[in-house]
């Protein structure tokens, strides 16, 4: 896909900088709790500090990562011929729709996802993808999922090899 075709998807690939920073600092705070307790052993202090510091740094990286570096955007830009299955899915928390995802299945069996938000209608984005990646199977069904798990490349439409 070219830059013009990717433009509508870049908006969704941007991470929340404020949310990422807040959660990262919460992780740093949890990691520092061991140092606040004077009776904590060095093992406990480091056991809290190291993993939570790494998680915090990872969250900061994701928050400040350019949208062009999002795995789904890289996939669409550089590996579109390898995509064999595209579908939208929703995540529900306590029965309430909390997130919608665009899912991309590759001929290798790997999958990538792009969160587009709970209030975003995925159909216009799926139509854009269909125009650019017409060789992929679109839509979800348990039968398609079973077929993808068994032989991912079989979902390629039109018999075009990549």
């Amino acid at each position: 896909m070219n830059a013009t075709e990717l433009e509508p998807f870049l908006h969704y690939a941007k991470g929340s900088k404020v949310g990422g920073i807040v959660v990262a600092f919460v992780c740093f705070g949890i990691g520092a709790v061991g140092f606040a307790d004077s009776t904590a052993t060095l093992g406990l202090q480091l056991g809290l500090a190291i993993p939570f510091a790494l998680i915090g740094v990872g969250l900061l990286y994701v928050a400040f990562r350019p949208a062009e570096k999002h795995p789904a955007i890289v996939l669409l830009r550089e590996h579109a011929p390898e995509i064999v299955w595209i579908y939208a899915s929703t995540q529900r928390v306590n029965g309430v729709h909390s997130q919608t995802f665009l899912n991309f299945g590759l001929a290798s069996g790997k999958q990538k996802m792009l969160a587009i938000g709970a209030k975003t209608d995925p159909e216009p984005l799926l139509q854009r993808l269909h125009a650019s990646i017409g060789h992929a199977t679109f839509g979800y069904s348990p039968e398609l999922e079973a077929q993808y798990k068994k032989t991912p490349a079989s979902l390629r439409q039109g018999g075009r090899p990549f």
Side-chain angles (χ1 to χ4, degrees):
M1 293 180 72
N2 63 38
T4 306
E5 293 170 322
L6 281 175
E7 188 60 37
F9 301 95
L10 289 174
H11 166 74
Y12 301 108
K14 295 177 183 172
S16 169
K17 288 183 179 34
V18 174
I21 292 169
V22 168
V23 176
F25 277 105
V26 167
C27 286
F28 294 144
I30 292 170
V33 166
F35 294 102
D37 183 2
S38 60
T39 62
T41 64
L42 181 62
L44 177 67
Q45 292 170 337
L46 294 178
L48 278 173
I50 292 171
F52 281 101
L54 291 174
I55 292 169
V57 169
L59 289 168
L60 287 175
Y61 169 77
V62 169
F64 287 99
R65 173 184 64 197
E68 296 83 17
K69 301 282 186 185
H70 188 285
I73 299 300
V74 172
L75 173 69
L76 290 170
R77 184 178 57 241
E78 299 174 10
H79 305 286
E82 299 173 34
I83 299 172
V84 296
W85 187 27
I86 300 173
Y87 64 95
S89 64
T90 59
Q91 178 183 38
R92 296 188 179 280
V93 176
N94 295 327
V96 178
H97 181 184
S98 64
Q99 185 63 274
T100 300
F101 296 94
L102 293 179
N103 299 272
F104 304 96
L106 301 170
S108 65
K110 293 182 181 178
Q111 293 185 314
K112 302 289 182 196
M113 295 173 30
L114 178 64
I116 61 172
K119 296 180 181 177
T120 303
D121 179 14
E123 285 307 313
L125 295 171
L126 290 170
Q127 289 173 0
R128 287 178 173 266
L129 288 167
H130 196 275
S132 299
I133 309 173
H135 62 270
T137 297
F138 283 78
Y140 175 84
S141 72
E143 295 79 19
L144 285 174
E145 182 176 17
Q147 182 180 350
Y148 181 77
K149 287 181 179 179
K150 185 176 180 184
T151 53
S154 68
L155 292 181
R156 179 177 306 282
Q157 298 296 311
R160 289 188 243 161
F162 63 93

